[in-house]
Amino acid sequence: MRIGIVGAGAIGGTVAALLDRAGHEVDVTARGEHLEAIRSRGLRLTGAWGEHVARVGAAEVLPEPPELALLAVKAQDAPAAAAAHADLLAGAPVVVVQNGLRGPQALREVLPASPLIGGLSMIAASYLEPGIVTVTAPGPTVLGADTASGAQLAAAAAVLGEAVPVVLTADLVGTQWAKLVVNQLNAAPALTGLSAQEALAVPALRRAVAGAMRETVRVGRAAGATFLGLPGLTPGRLRMLAGLPPAVSGRLLAARMVERMGAVPNPGSTLQSIRRGRPSEIDHLSGAVVEEGERLGVPTPLNRRIVALVHEVESTGRFLPAAEAAARILA
């Protein structure tokens, strides 16, 4: 099958390389040094799913209409990237692999002729060097229909399932909220410049992250979210997280999350953007919690401070010591 991937970053690049390895014809979009590296040396996959060099087509815009597309750019870049491909993608199912609460829902007007599917990736992958993506911890990709039919969802899942583990959810919004809880982990490496494992080894920062997750659960519950559909994170566990004291939930959080991450340092997607000098998606992670909290009347002081601190790191280029980051979040 001819598959187009808009955004060959950490997740998009990983899926592109694995689809190429599975025998599909893959085109990707990229820019600058990353684009030149893919054109000259191929897209190199390393890490938990083995080594592979994918000789994929690469350009700033997909060269021709695909039969299936993945849009895997950051949330803030998605509308423009979708608009640039709207004619090419007309009629083709589009899987929007994205963090945050909007995903495919935000692209309905931009891609009215494309059946839309939401994708939440639990793959931990890094893109820190042009032309190379590294899987630090394997995981499933959860798919849920937005405007796509059940048959279109099943067909897309069958194709992607040849490359990566796929799980289907009947509640896309509930799964988006569950993933948003997990994405609160991104703040710790983004603020400190450390791997998630190193940052979560600091007790005060564990408490701060656990507190941000508690706020996310409370806002999601006020919004009526089910938190269903994400493997390994059940509604019962989230209720427990929301009800335990921060010190206790912080310890449980660190033990479970670090275990799931494995031994390979995981920088998280927000820190990767900062290191590449690109705007991060923090406004669509902690910022989404703040926005929904304001709408629903649920206080979110920790998430509000996280947003401000990540923007401070972005603007100054100075990472914070873990203890300072925790103190300023918990102030």
Side-chain angles (χ1 to χ4, degrees):
M1 178 178 284
R2 188 174 193 88
I3 301 172
I5 297 186
V6 180
I11 299 302
T14 295
V15 177
L18 292 170
L19 285 167
D20 175 82
R21 187 163 71 180
H24 293 282
E25 187 177 356
V26 180
D27 291 315
V28 304
T29 71
R31 292 183 178 179
E33 293 182 355
H34 191 42
L35 174 58
E36 293 307 314
I38 295 172
R39 282 174 167 171
S40 62
R41 303 190 297 272
L43 178 61
R44 181 183 171 197
L45 174 74
T46 67
W49 276 325
E51 302 278 334
H52 177 66
V53 176
R55 300 293 179 178
V56 297
E60 291 193 1
V61 177
L62 294 176
E64 57 184 288
E67 298 171 83
L68 173 68
L70 273 73
L71 192 145
V73 299
K74 300 296 185 186
Q76 65 269 23
D77 300 324
H85 289 85
D87 291 340
L88 279 170
L89 299 181
V94 177
V95 181
V96 183
V97 183
Q98 195 174 101
N99 293 323
L101 296 177
R102 294 170 183 167
Q105 300 96 318
L107 302 179
R108 291 172 185 169
E109 293 185 5
V110 183
L111 298 174
S114 297
L116 297 176
I117 297 167
L120 288 304
S121 178
M122 298 304 291
I123 302 167
S126 298
Y127 152 50
L128 296 172
E129 183 178 344
I132 301 174
V133 290
T134 302
V135 177
T136 57
T141 296
V142 183
L143 301 180
D146 182 51
T147 61
S149 67
Q152 289 166 332
L153 172 64
V159 173
L160 293 179
E162 297 175 25
V164 296
V166 170
V167 175
L168 298 183
T169 178
D171 183 0
L172 177 60
V173 173
T175 308
Q176 288 172 321
W177 272 103
K179 180 67 187 299
L180 190 59
V181 175
V182 174
N183 283 139
Q184 298 309 313
L185 295 171
N186 285 29
L191 292 175
T192 62
L194 303 172
S195 70
Q197 293 96 323
E198 292 172 306
L200 290 174
V202 179
L205 198 49
R206 285 203 305 266
R207 289 196 298 273
V209 170
M213 295 175 85
R214 285 158 58 97
E215 287 182 355
T216 306
V217 173
R218 288 168 180 166
V219 174
R221 289 168 68 182
T226 63
F227 296 101
L228 291 172
L230 201 66
L233 192 67
T234 65
R237 285 178 179 167
L238 290 176
R239 284 195 297 271
M240 180 181 68
L241 171 67
L244 289 172
V248 177
S249 58
R251 286 198 301 272
L252 294 175
L253 164 76
R256 179 170 295 278
M257 294 300 181
V258 170
E259 179 183 354
R260 289 178 68 88
M261 287 177 193
V264 180
N266 183 346
S269 60
T270 307
L271 176 57
Q272 290 182 55
S273 294
I274 292 172
R275 290 204 181 280
R276 293 198 304 271
R278 301 286 299 166
S280 78
E281 58 183 347
I282 194 64
D283 290 332
H284 299 272
L285 302 179
S286 293
V289 179
V290 173
E291 182 179 339
E292 283 295 290
E294 288 177 344
R295 183 177 71 85
L296 297 165
V298 180
T300 57
L302 302 188
N303 278 279
R304 187 179 298 275
R305 292 182 195 122
I306 286 171
V307 172
L309 287 171
V310 171
H311 284 315
E312 177 184 314
V313 170
E314 288 176 314
S315 64
T316 65
R318 185 183 77 88
F319 292 112
L320 305 177
E324 179 184 344
R328 294 178 66 181
I329 293 171
L330 296 169

